[in-house]
């Protein structure tokens, strides 16, 4: 990239380090022409295409505000929500695509939210998957119950063996 001071088309990297969350690299650069120093941050790009067609960078804060309402009155802390948003970002980055749509974000939220709080999960899923009737809730709850039983029998098998 061009030197921000003299527009020289080249620069030399004098230091590079990974940020604490491991998601980006910060490089100190020096211009060989004017000696000016500046920093660049390199991040794998992850952009969201909104329903309106507008493209914006992925934001963990928006994930948190998206699920906060579903978590109202539930034993879910801000720390839990921050961790959930981090997991959602990891799931999305693992897909390898640099552009995702809001639908994929909703889908990526479902599993970690279910592990966090099943009531919040049902609330979120009912909006996101546009539940239209009691049957939709019933089948989701039946699925949760089946998973519980599966886990319970796996646990008892583990103890009886
Ligand atoms: Zn320069």
């Amino acid at each position: 990239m061009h030197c921000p001071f003299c527009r020289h088309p080249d620069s030399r990297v004098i230091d590079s380090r990974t940020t604490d969350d491991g998601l980006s690299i910060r490089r100190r650069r020096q211009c060989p022409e004017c000696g000016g120093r500046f920093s660049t941050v390199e991040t794998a790009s992850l952009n969201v295409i909104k329903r309106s067609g507008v493209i914006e960078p992925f934001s963990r804060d928006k994930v948190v505000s998206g699920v906060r309402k579903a978590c109202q009155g539930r034993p879910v802390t801000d720390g839990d929500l921050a961790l959930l948003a981090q997991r959602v970002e990891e799931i999305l980055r693992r897909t390898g695509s640099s552009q995702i749509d809001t639908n994929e974000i909703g889908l990526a939220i479902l599993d970690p939210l279910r592990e966090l709080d099943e009531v919040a999960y049902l609330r979120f899923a009912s909006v996101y998957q546009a539940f239209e009737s009691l049957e939709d809730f019933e089948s989701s709850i039946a699925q949760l119950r089946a998973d519980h039983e599966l886990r319970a029998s796996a646990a008892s098998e583990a103890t009886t063996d």
Side-chain angles (χ1 to χ4, degrees), residues 74 109-126 129 131 134-153:
R74 301 299 302 163
I109 287 172
L110 289 173
D111 275 349
L113 185 58
R114 192 167 103 164
E115 282 168 33
L116 181 62
D117 188 281
E118 289 177 341
V119 172
Y121 161 79
L122 277 176
R123 286 177 182 161
F124 182 84
S126 72
Q129 295 175 323
F131 285 12
L134 282 177
E135 284 74 23
D136 289 335
F137 279 95
E138 277 168 358
S139 62
S140 265
I141 291 168
Q143 182 64 51
L144 287 173
R145 285 228 171 90
D147 289 353
H148 280 213
E149 275 158 28
L150 210 67
R151 251 177 284 156
S153 69

Side-chain angles (χ1 to χ4, degrees), residues 2-10 30-38:
H2 290 258
C3 167
F5 308 109
C6 72
R7 311 284 304 157
H8 186 71
D10 201 13
Q30 187 167 33
C31 171
E33 188 67 21
C34 72
R37 291 185 174 197
F38 56 99

